[in-house]
Amino acid sequence: EVQLVESGGGLVQPGGSLSLSCAASGLSFNNYWMTWVRQAPGKGLEWVANINREGRVKHYIDSVKGRFTISRDNAKNSLYLQMNSLRAEDTGVYYCARGDMDVWGKGTTVTVSS
Amino acid sequence: SHELTQPPSVSVSPGQTARITCSGDALPKQYAYWYQQKPGQAPVLLIYEHTKRPSGIPERFSGSSSGTTVTLTISGVQAEDEADYYCQSADSSVTYRVFGGGTKLTVL
C-alpha cells in the first residue's frame, strides 16, 4: 500500500522558519515527481511546489518563491519543504502528493501567528 | 496566469445526476483531474486525464471534456457524495499546477 506521511508542522511566529517532511512507502519513490499542496482554514486547495524525480527541476507558486525550498532524498524515500520568512497567510494544512497528485498524505498543520 | 473556474455550489436530490463544471483556457491542451474532499480528510483522486477513473472509484463518477470546459458527472447521487470537489490542471507550459476554487455538493 502506498503511504505518504507528513510531519514537522507546528506553531511559528511571523518571520520564522519551519521544515516539513514527507516519508513515502510502498512506491518506487525515485520514479515520481512529488508535490506539496496547502489548504488555508476554510479555503480551497493551493498547489505550492513540485520537484522532478532527480531533484533538479523545481517549480513554485509565485507567493512562496524565494522563501520556500522543495527538496528530496531518494535514498531515504523522503520529500521536504523548507519554509522561511513565514507569513500569516502561509497558515494551513500542508499535504504532500505523488506525481500528478494521485496519492496524498493526511497532511500536517502549519500555524503562523504571534 | 492560468485559472480554473468552478461554481461555488451545486445541490441535488438523492438519485439525481450532479454535474460540476470547470473552465479554463488551458484545458484544451492540458489534462484535468478531479478530487473529492470530505471535512477533515485529505483529497481523493476521482478522475484523471479528463475521463479516466482510478481503481476503487465507483462508476457513478465520470469525467468529460469539451473545449475549455471539463465536467464531473455524478450519476445516482448518494448522501455520502456530499463533499467539496476540486478540478486541477497544469498551465500551458506545464510549469504550474492550479486548482479550481472548489464546488460544495449538497445532497438535499
Side-chain angles (χ1 to χ4, degrees):
Chain A
E1 180 192 5
V2 177
Q3 269 201 316
L4 300 173
V5 180
E6 303 91 339
S7 61
L11 173 64
V12 62
Q13 292 188 340
S17 298
L18 212 55
S19 181
L20 305 185
S21 299
C22 171
S25 60
L27 74 161
S28 297
F29 183 72
N30 59 1
N31 283 348
Y32 295 95
W33 282 68
M34 295 296 293
T35 298
W36 286 101
V37 176
R38 66 184 179 185
Q39 186 170 35
K43 302 296 184 182
L45 301 172
E46 182 176 53
W47 174 87
V48 175
N50 62 8
I51 186 169
N52 78 334
R53 299 172 189 83
E54 299 81 14
R56 294 175 190 154
V57 178
K58 306 173 185 181
H59 299 135
Y60 301 91
I61 192 172
D62 286 348
S63 59
V64 309
K65 283 181 181 176
R67 300 189 300 123
F68 289 13
T69 301
I70 189 171
S71 63
R72 64 190 296 162
D73 186 336
N74 287 343
K76 295 183 177 179
N77 289 345
S78 292
L79 176 71
Y80 307 101
L81 187 66
Q82 176 65 41
M83 304 186 296
N84 299 329
S85 303
L86 282 161
R87 307 167 179 167
E89 54 264 36
D90 296 318
T91 293
V93 178
Y94 284 71
Y95 299 98
C96 70
R98 181 180 79 171
D100 285 329
M101 295 175 266
D102 61 340
V103 178
W104 296 59
K106 294 186 184 304
T108 186
T109 300
V110 172
T111 304
V112 184
S113 174
S114 55
Chain B
S1 65
H2 179 43
E3 296 183 356
L4 297 175
T5 302
Q6 298 180 232
S9 62
V10 169
S11 300
V12 294
S13 298
Q16 289 190 329
T17 297
R19 293 180 179 86
I20 300 173
T21 58
C22 172
S23 299
D25 290 341
L27 288 176
K29 302 177 183 177
Q30 301 298 337
Y31 282 126
Y33 300 74
W34 287 97
Y35 301 87
Q36 178 193 67
Q37 187 182 32
K38 296 182 178 180
Q41 297 183 18
V44 173
L45 179 67
L46 294 177
I47 299 291
Y48 66 102
E49 295 180 2
H50 282 339
T51 61
K52 299 176 183 178
R53 194 173 50 246
S55 61
I57 299 301
E59 291 184 7
R60 65 179 183 275
F61 293 95
S62 63
S64 61
S65 172
S66 179
T68 59
T69 299
V70 295
T71 301
L72 173 69
T73 300
I74 310 173
S75 304
V77 168
Q78 301 179 5
E80 66 195 51
D81 298 331
E82 188 161 283
D84 293 324
Y85 292 83
Y86 296 90
C87 60
Q88 178 266 121
S89 184
D91 69 321
S92 55
S93 63
V94 201
T95 302
Y96 300 98
R97 296 285 184 162
V98 175
F99 287 93
T103 298
K104 181 174 183 58
L105 176 68
T106 300
V107 182
L108 302 171

